[in-house]
Amino acid sequence: MLKKFWRTDLVDVGFDTIVNFFYRLAEVADVLKSEGLYFNYGPETLPDRIEIPLKGTLRVKYGFPIFQKGGVCMDVTNAEQASIAEDAGAVSVMVLDKLPYDVRRAGGVARMASVTKIKEVMDVVTIPVMAKVRIGHYMEALILQEIGVDMIDESEVLTPADEERHINKWMFKVPFVNGARDLGEALRRIYEGAAMIRTKGEAGTGNVAEAVKHLRSMYRDVMSLTMMPPEDRLKKAREWGVPPELVDLVARLKRLPVVNFAAGGIATPADAALMMWLGADGVFVGSGIFKSQDPPVRAEAIVLATSMWNDPESVVEAQSMISEEKSMMGIDIRKLKPEELLQVRGV
Amino acid sequence: MKIGILAYQGGVFEHRYMVERACEELGYDCDIVLVTKVHHLKDVDAIILPGGESTTISKLAKRFGVLDELRKLAMNGIPTFGTCAGAILLAKHVIDRVTGKVLRNPVGIMDMDIVRNYYGRQRESFEVDLAIPILGNKPFRGVFIRAPAITRIGPHVTSLAMLNDVHVAVQQGPHLATTFHPELTNDTRFHKYFLKIVKH
């Protein structure tokens, strides 16, 4: 039996403690705000008693990804693909206008998928529906929140709308997922209010090398934090541009405080299992499924391998369900020009 | 005692954390097994079905034959505790609010109708303080995430808590189901209540 390369259970201190941490972080700001001294950037504080149901609280925003753990979110471009994904056992679907592979080929500006298409998908599947918005595009995010998308991916796969800022995700009732290449990037996104992180990898290439690199880099940074004296952690926090409390929390948890998925280039069940072994809580599969020649079987196989990654028998079973000739061709990342890389968008 | 947690997907470790804490507070000795295959269910004293996507969990559980074994054990009186998707698996009749789809292969041991995604999508997810008399006077924080609702219960099912006109926590003999997530709070009362049932 394979032991997890990186022990990543989110259990050391319990979910509740983590949620409270973020409320505490905003507490001082709240006091200052009430005295007219400070502009609040963070979650709104909760009352002690909740008599009338309160929507969009941190607990339900951070809680949503908890129930995605161990599962596969699949990129789809229409209702038919969404049904295939649901039948295969996906935990959610991500609606796009074009799959990342096609975004790459088509060039031009990649934007949010059309509202009608997203609504069509929401009508046919019972699992959560996510959709991507351009980095920094508040209005696309607002539209998705209004039509009822379950989670918003502020994604580097689409052309950034704001090249310097990300969305202030604390303002939204719907949880956000963001891409990250390393720990600093992940913590900046969490500080901006992201409820979930995914590695960026290099989308639409069918090549996991970048996703592996990003997961390994996060692991290395987390581990080095745990060995650091407090002064050095403070220095790191300044270097990354995040509150030192957040860095300390990561050192204590030995992982990110939110759910962390792997994404970018996953094409086979073995790829998915590799990501899980490397410490991901689940996977996003983009072009890997619907750019292959056997989507329904492959989708099912990837679901099996993700959930049962630490049972070699099941991984073999999953990998045997697909044939390599039918995998997407893939792109060698070294052959991409620097300006063709998606992962460098929005750091 | 040996507690099995169905571990294909979802809030597995959150439940483990709460069970460990509850056992510590009660002074019980407990062994937790993560259940993904039939042999993991050998000699378990109780089974927890965590939240997650019920379609995914039931598909995988069926593939490994765990679903049938679960039904058998539950029928023989092994206590089960289902939260959210877990409650959906335990219910006899499952309906999706929007699409009207009926979920196949639920374990189906509790005589109740459950409506999936009753409150709507994620933006309608909420938390609220619930009055649960069997847990004492202090309200229990209910965390509802894309939660289902129990719209009808059979004569052998007791309602433990209601929210407006639907049941949110029910009990049938040794089996418990909640449509909210006690594992996302720091309140171990619900887990303790279940562990006490297991002990008897």
Side-chain angles (χ1 to χ4, degrees), chain A residues 193-213:
Chain A
M196 179 176 176
I197 295 294
R198 55 171 176 77
T199 58
K200 282 179 171 173
E202 189 56 39
T205 58
N207 188 338
V208 282
E210 291 298 297
V212 169
K213 193 163 107 192

Side-chain angles (χ1 to χ4, degrees), chain A residues 6-22:
Chain A
W6 177 12
R7 194 182 149 273
T8 49
D9 310 349
L10 245 177
V11 291
D12 272 6
V13 297
F15 177 81
D16 183 71
T17 315
I18 294 170
V19 171
N20 279 331
F21 170 88
F22 286 96

Side-chain angles (χ1 to χ4, degrees), chain A residues 57-334:
Chain A
T57 62
L58 267 199
R59 205 179 299 272
V60 300
K61 280 166 79 179
Y62 288 151
F64 172 77
I66 296 283
F67 303 104
Q68 296 278 305
K69 287 199 294 183
V72 184
C73 174
M74 301 180 189
D75 280 4
V76 299
T77 56
N78 55 43
E80 188 199 341
Q81 289 182 349
S83 294
I84 294 175
E86 182 176 36
D87 290 343
V91 288
S92 55
V93 291
M94 171 84 70
V95 190
L96 293 97
D97 178 47
K98 291 190 267 306
L99 291 173
Y101 180 79
D102 295 321
V103 169
R104 215 172 255 296
R105 299 248 316 237
V109 177
R111 309 184 185 90
M112 178 183 96
S114 38
V115 170
T116 26
K117 200 179 273 174
I118 298 171
K119 281 187 172 162
E120 269 168 38
V121 172
M122 290 199 297
D123 286 343
V124 298
V125 297
T126 63
I127 53 177
V129 174
M130 306 186 186
K132 286 183 193 289
V133 299
R134 285 179 265 174
I135 291 173
H137 206 311
Y138 283 79
M139 287 306 137
E140 283 188 348
L142 198 70
I143 291 165
L144 290 186
Q145 172 165 285
E146 282 307 304
I147 63 175
V149 161
D150 296 287
M151 185 173 229
I152 299 175
D153 184 0
E154 189 181 15
S155 176
E156 71 284 356
V157 172
L158 308 184
T159 315
D162 187 328
E163 293 182 343
E164 278 159 13
R165 291 163 208 86
H166 282 73
I167 294 173
N168 173 6
K169 293 163 273 283
W170 299 115
M171 291 168 56
F172 290 81
K173 296 271 181 229
V174 171
F176 274 72
V177 53
N178 273 89
R181 287 176 305 169
D182 51 43
L183 187 58
E185 219 174 305
L187 292 182
R188 281 193 291 279
R189 298 296 90 80
I190 292 169
Y191 182 50
E192 289 158 4
M196 179 176 176
I197 295 294
R198 55 171 176 77
T199 58
K200 282 179 171 173
E202 189 56 39
T205 58
N207 188 338
V208 282
E210 291 298 297
V212 169
K213 193 163 107 192
H214 298 160
L215 269 180
R216 288 242 180 208
S217 134
M218 271 190 211
Y219 170 73
R220 194 190 52 225
D221 287 351
V222 169
M223 281 306 139
S224 71
L225 279 186
T226 62
M227 317 289 261
M228 255 178 218
E231 301 85 337
D232 286 3
R233 285 207 296 270
L234 186 64
K235 216 175 111 204
K236 272 281 172 210
R238 275 194 222 117
E239 182 189 317
W240 289 336
V242 295
E245 292 84 358
L246 200 50
V247 175
D248 286 348
L249 179 70
V250 171
R252 167 69 183 84
L253 297 176
K254 297 194 178 64
R255 60 155 288 149
L256 287 180
V258 299
V259 172
N260 181 28
F261 270 39
I266 296 160
T268 69
D271 287 353
L274 174 69
M275 292 297 134
M276 295 302 284
W277 176 64
L278 282 171
D281 295 320
V283 298
F284 282 93
V285 184
S287 320
I289 290 172
F290 291 102
K291 276 291 152 192
S292 73
Q293 288 155 44
D294 51 358
V297 192
R298 187 170 294 257
E300 202 180 327
I302 294 179
V303 169
L304 178 61
T306 305
S307 172
M308 300 291 286
W309 67 271
N310 66 352
D311 176 50
E313 221 175 89
S314 302
V315 177
V316 172
E317 191 186 329
Q319 188 70 11
S320 317
M321 286 162 72
I322 60 135
S323 85
E324 182 52 24
E325 295 99 69
K326 290 184 176 160
S327 296
M328 71 181 281
M329 244 329 249
I331 300 169
D332 185 349
I333 292 154
R334 279 166 302 182

Side-chain angles (χ1 to χ4, degrees), chain A residues 156 181 185 200 202 338-339 341-347:
Chain A
E156 71 284 356
R181 287 176 305 169
E185 219 174 305
K200 282 179 171 173
E202 189 56 39
E339 64 271 22
L341 288 178
L342 300 177
Q343 54 175 285
V344 293
R345 293 168 167 182
V347 294

Side-chain angles (χ1 to χ4, degrees), chain B residues 8 36-39 41 58-72:
Chain B
Y8 295 106
T36 50
K37 294 194 161 177
V38 173
H39 68 88
L41 284 167
S58 58
K59 196 178 159 70
L60 287 164
K62 197 177 175 192
R63 178 182 202 112
F64 290 98
V66 168
L67 220 49
D68 291 331
E69 189 64 21
L70 267 179
R71 180 182 294 131
K72 223 161 53 194

